[in-house]
Amino acid sequence: MCGIIGYVGPRKVVPVIIEGLRKLEYRGYDSAGMAIIEAGKLVVVKKRGKLRELEEAVRGNAYEATTGIGHTRWATHGRVEDRNAHPHMDCKGEIAVIHNGIIENYQTLRSDLIKKGHAFSSETDTEVIAHLLEEQVDAGRDLLDAVRGTAHQLQGAYAFLVVASRFPGRVIAVRNLSPLVLGVGDGEMIFSSDTPALLDYTHRIVPLHDGDVVEINDRGYFFYALEDGHAFTRAPMIVQWSAASAEKQGYKHFMLKEIYEQPVVIRDTLYGRFDVATGRVDLKEFADSPVPERISIVAAGTSYHASRVGKYLLEQLARIPTEVSFSSEYRYQQPIVQPGTLGIAVTQSGETIDTLAALRLQRQLGARVVAITNRPESSAVRESDVSFITQAGIEIGVAATKSFMAQLIAFYLMAISFGQRKGTIDQEASLRLGGELAGLSQKCEQVLEYVGVMEAIARKFYQVHDMIFVGRGVNYPIALEGALKMKEISYIHAEGYAAGELKHGPIALLEQNVPVIGLLPRGPLYEKVYSNLQESNARESPLVILAESTDATAQGLASDFIPMPIVGELFSPVLYTVPLQLLAYYTADRKGLDVDQPRNLAKSVTVE
Ligand code: G6P
C-alpha cells in the first residue's frame, strides 16, 4: 500500500526513481510523484494517475540530481488529485516528505499548525509531517533531529522519507508499523517499501524495524533509535531473488506468468521437507515444539482462503481443532487462547497490518505463533516465534495466485507432519499421502494445458453480471477463492457458496445469465454436490463443471466441462484452483481490464 523509494548515490536519480516506482506500482497506482535536490534546490513533480503521467511530466528535463525520493499512491486521506499526490512540502518549499501509512492525529496537528500560520495545500494526513519538520528546522535543528522530533508527535502507522534542500545529499527515513527496506549497494544506498525494487542495485538488504530512524548519504547508512537518538547498526541480509524474477519475462501480465509458475512453486515448497520414499514429512520449523493441542489461524484475503483449506486439513489429517479468523475481526472478537494453542498467521507479504496486529495479540494472549509467509525479510517473520517460508518467489500481480498455492502446500505439509507425529497418520497412510504430494506438481502442469478451454469459457461469459462458484468440504474455500479472483480483476459480481447452501437463498439468483461454476471431484461428497448442481441446472443456469476427466456423468450435466486429472479429494484444491485463476484472468483480459493493477486494490495492505 503506497510505494516509496529514496536514493543517494552516484547515479542520476530521476531514472532510478521511475524504475523503482515501476517495480512498486503494484502497491498503489492512483498517483505518483518525486522530489529531488537539483543544484541545491528542491524540485517536486507529482501527477494523479498512473506512473506514465509522472514519466511524461519529467521527460525531456536534463536533471542532474543524484539524491531524491519517489512515491506511488494508494489514496487514504484526500481524493485522487495532483495536489494530494506525494511528495508534500513545507510552506517554503524546502522540505519534501513521502509517506506510507495513516497519521491518526493529523487533524489536531493540522489545526495547531494552521494556528501557527502554516498554509496547507492538500487534504492529506501526510502534509502535517512536512510542516512539523519545518517548525523543527526553523528552530535550528539538524534534519536528523528534526525527523525524530517530528515523529515523536505522530500517532498511527508510518514509514516516511524526507529530503530537504538545506541538507543536500541526505535522505532520512523512519519506520513505525509500515514496511520499509534499505538496500546497501556499492557506494549507493536505496530505500524501498519492498525488496523487488532494490534488486537491480543490490542483494544486500536491511529491513527497518519499528522505531528505526535511518540516514543515507555518500558515506553510507546510519541507524538511530527513534526513542532516544542513540546510534547503532544493523547488518544486511542477502536475498536470493534475481532481478529478472520481478519481470514479466514475455508474459502479457504478471498474473499469467505467476499462474504458470505454480508447478515449480509446488516443487520448491515441498523441496527438502518430505521424503518421497516413506511419505514422512520433516518440518525443522516445529522440531523443538510439541504437536499443538489446538490451532488458531489469522489471515486476510486470499491467505484467508488458504487458511480455510488449512483448517480442513489439520482437522482431517491431524485431528487438531482449528479455528480460522479474518485478521481484521480477530482483535475485536475477544479471542480466547487456551494453553497449548498454536497461532498461525498466514500472509504472503508478511506486512498486512491487520494480520500483524492479530499475530501480536495471539502472542500477547500466550500462544506460540508461526508465520506462514513468502517474505523472509518481513515483519511477520521478525514478530513471530517461528516462520515457515513458502517458496513462491516474488509475486507482483495484485491478485494472489502462486502464493496461495504455496500456502496450500505449507498446510498439507504441516497437517501431515502433525498427523504423523500424533499417530493419526500411520505408515500406510503416509505412503499414500506422500504419493499424492509428489504427483501434484506434474498434475498442475497438466491442468495448465487447459488454457485454451478456460479462454473459450471466458469469451462466452465475460459480459455476465453475476457468477456463482460452488464447492463443498475442502473445496468450499476454493469456491470462495474462485469468486474472489473473479471479483478482484474482472469486476464481475461473483459469490462462492458451500454447494449445500445454494438452496437456502442464493438459488433465488439463478437464471440463464448467471453461470454456476461447480467443483466436483470424486470423493465422499460427490453425490451431494452433484445433486446441488442438478438443482442449478433446473433453474437454467449455465453449468461449468470441473470434475475428473473420466466422469461422463458430470460431463453430461455440464454446459462446459473442465476435465481434471485424477487426484485424491483432499488434494483436489491444489488442482481445482488453477482453472478458476485462468477463468478470472481471461475474463478480465477479454474485458480489456488492467489485470495486474485492478481498480481500488493494492497488493500489500498496510493500513487498517
Ligand atoms: C490484499 C491483496 C490480496 C491478499 C491480501 C492479504 O488484499 O490484494 O491479494 O490476499 O491483501 O495479503 P497477505 O500479504 O497478508 O497475504
Side-chain angles (χ1 to χ4, degrees), residues 300-303 347-349 352 398 400 488 602-603 605:
T302 291
S303 298
T347 164
Q348 185 284 130
S349 61
T352 299
V398 167
E488 279 181 311
K603 178 122 195 97
V605 180

Side-chain angles (χ1 to χ4, degrees), residues 467-487:
M467 279 191 192
I468 308 279
F469 291 72
V470 293
R472 280 182 94 148
V474 73
N475 277 302
Y476 166 42
I478 302 306
L480 295 174
E481 176 59 9
L484 179 65
K485 286 290 89 89
M486 188 59 77
K487 276 188 269 218

Side-chain angles (χ1 to χ4, degrees), residues 37 63 90 112 160 289 314-315 337 382 433 438 520 532 586 595:
I37 311 287
Y63 292 121
D90 65 328
D112 290 352
F160 68 83
S289 49
L314 288 158
E315 292 188 338
V337 170
R382 284 196 299 281
L433 295 168
L520 185 61
N532 301 144
Y586 283 112
V595 172

Side-chain angles (χ1 to χ4, degrees), residues 38 92 122-123 222 311 343 442 494 503 541:
E38 180 75 12
K92 304 186 196 74
S122 78
E123 301 163 336
F222 304 90
K311 166 183 164 72
Q442 203 203 341
K503 55 187 175 296
S541 278

Side-chain angles (χ1 to χ4, degrees), residues 41-213:
K41 291 237 152 36
L42 186 69
V43 175
V44 169
V45 188
K46 51 190 197 173
K47 287 278 162 205
R48 63 165 282 166
K50 296 254 170 132
L51 181 60
R52 55 181 171 269
E53 306 294 334
L54 177 67
E55 267 185 286
E56 224 22 75
V58 294
R59 181 162 300 145
N61 287 303
Y63 292 121
E64 295 292 329
T66 56
T67 300
I69 57 179
H71 187 270
T72 175
R73 179 170 187 240
W74 187 87
T76 56
H77 293 70
R79 278 158 296 185
V80 180
E81 291 174 4
D82 283 356
R83 68 195 178 106
N84 289 330
H86 298 214
H88 292 285
M89 283 184 287
D90 65 328
C91 298
K92 304 186 196 74
E94 292 179 352
I95 302 172
V97 179
I98 53 174
H99 162 225
N100 173 20
I102 292 179
I103 306 300
E104 284 163 5
N105 58 337
Y106 85 101
Q107 267 160 332
T108 324
L109 293 169
R110 188 178 163 116
S111 6
D112 290 352
L113 285 159
I114 289 172
K115 276 187 214 135
K116 287 183 184 159
H118 288 264
F120 278 76
S121 41
S122 78
E123 301 163 336
T124 64
D125 53 335
T126 305
E127 196 181 344
V128 297
I129 304 176
H131 294 279
L132 288 171
L133 283 164
E134 182 178 17
E135 291 269 310
Q136 300 270 330
V137 169
D138 284 354
R141 300 217 163 93
D142 174 66
L143 192 58
L144 191 68
D145 295 333
V147 167
R148 282 190 45 243
T150 297
H152 282 151
Q153 300 173 62
L154 305 176
Q155 285 162 16
Y158 52 81
F160 68 83
L161 300 190
V162 180
V163 288
S165 53
R166 271 199 248 171
F167 305 93
R170 300 168 71 182
V171 176
I172 296 179
V174 194
R175 172 193 157 130
N176 179 45
L177 298 173
S178 301
L180 195 60
V181 188
L182 167 68
V184 180
D186 253 348
E188 56 188 352
M189 300 290 145
I190 181 161
F191 285 118
S192 167
S193 300
D194 201 358
T195 315
L198 304 173
L199 298 176
D200 282 334
Y201 306 92
T202 181
H203 283 72
R204 293 199 299 155
I205 67 154
V206 191
L208 270 66
H209 296 197
D210 289 340
D212 285 355
V213 181

